[in-house]
Each structure stands twice: as structure tokens, then as C-alpha cells.
Amino acid sequence: MEHVQPFGRPFPWRAAALAACVIALIALAGLRPFLVHHANVRIRPVPGTGRVSKSHVVPLRPRARLSVLVLNGNGIAHAAGEKATQLLARGYRSAYPTDATTTYARSLVLFRPGSEGEAERLARDAGIRTVSPLDGRLPSADAGYRLVLVLGAN
């Protein structure tokens, strides 16, 4: 059986802490010329960039408050349902899958006026590169949707 043997004298914690502080001060003193050099660098605006207007910044509505109509325009069975499930997993309030009246060569996100930012976010979420304003070709039953995702052949 082994027993712990006590040390004859206590460990010098104060001396160890003092040594660590001295080492840190020496390291900081070595960095001082580098820090002083970078503190004197002045930041100037890039010429010709103009001012950024903050009056047009509109916060995006959260995904949990958005409903999306997902149209299957590629003819592949259950494609709209699978994409709607993915959107629900990303936090959208509802995603209603249905078939488009025609076939589409390219996938796209359509939006009603005032929803462009949400449409761009939806396009990023869905991996679609084309975003366009809604041109009124939807049936009147689907008029309540501000965002429409059309799955095309690509």
C-alpha cells in the first residue's frame, strides 16, 4: 500500500506568480514597438466610394413568419414536397408544395413587392441563383404567398 508523503516545506506560490508576471511584462515590452507603430496608422476612406445610406435598410422578417409556395415545375415526382420539408427544417413557418401549371427549365424564387430581401435569403437557403419579382401568373388562390419557389429542370 502506498501513502502520500507530504513535502517538507510548502510550494512557493508567490514566487511562481511573481516570476510569471515578470515574464509577461518582458514579453509585452518586446511587443511595444510593434503596438506603437500600428497605433499611429490612420484610417482614411477610400476615394470615390461615397456615403452609405442607412435610410433604405429594411430588416428581414424572420423565417418563422414567412410562408412559401413551392411549385414543382420539373416533372419529378415529390420534388416540391422534399424541398418544402427542407424549408420547414430551416425554420420557415409553412411551405406548401404543389405542381406548377407549366414546366420550367430553371429553378427560381419569385417575390411580391417588399419581399426582395426575404426572397434572396430563401434563394440562398434553397441553393437557387435566380430571384425575380412575381409577375402575376399565379392563380388567385395562391395570391396570399409573398414568396414562391419554382423548381425547374436544372
Side-chain angles (χ1 to χ4, degrees), residues 18-37:
L18 182 62
C21 288
V22 169
I23 292 171
L25 286 173
I26 292 171
L28 186 59
L31 291 176
R32 188 175 190 290
F34 177 75
L35 296 173
V36 170
H37 170 70

Side-chain angles (χ1 to χ4, degrees), residues 85-135:
T85 302
Q86 291 173 3
L87 293 176
L88 291 173
R90 299 240 8 172
Y92 286 89
R93 182 174 90 191
S94 68
Y96 180 71
T98 188
D99 289 326
T101 56
T102 61
T103 57
Y104 288 81
R106 171 184 291 167
S107 296
L108 65 145
V109 173
L110 302 171
F111 64 92
R112 295 201 186 278
S115 298
E116 184 174 1
E118 289 88 356
E120 290 174 359
R121 181 177 59 195
L122 173 62
R124 281 192 308 272
D125 290 345
I128 296 173
R129 295 191 319 207
T130 306
V131 178
S132 177
L134 192 58
D135 59 2

Side-chain angles (χ1 to χ4, degrees), residues 4-52:
V4 177
Q5 297 293 325
F7 288 114
R9 56 188 164 104
F11 187 78
W13 290 107
R14 287 185 193 158
L18 182 62
C21 288
V22 169
I23 292 171
L25 286 173
I26 292 171
L28 186 59
L31 291 176
R32 188 175 190 290
F34 177 75
L35 296 173
V36 170
H37 170 70
H38 286 293
N40 291 333
V41 175
R42 295 188 181 189
I43 299 173
R44 287 177 274 141
V46 178
T49 57
R51 302 186 105 192
V52 176

Side-chain angles (χ1 to χ4, degrees), residues 65-85:
R65 297 190 61 203
L66 296 174
S67 297
V68 181
L69 177 64
V70 182
L71 298 177
N72 186 355
N74 59 17
I76 300 171
H78 308 291
E82 290 174 5
K83 186 58 80 172
T85 302

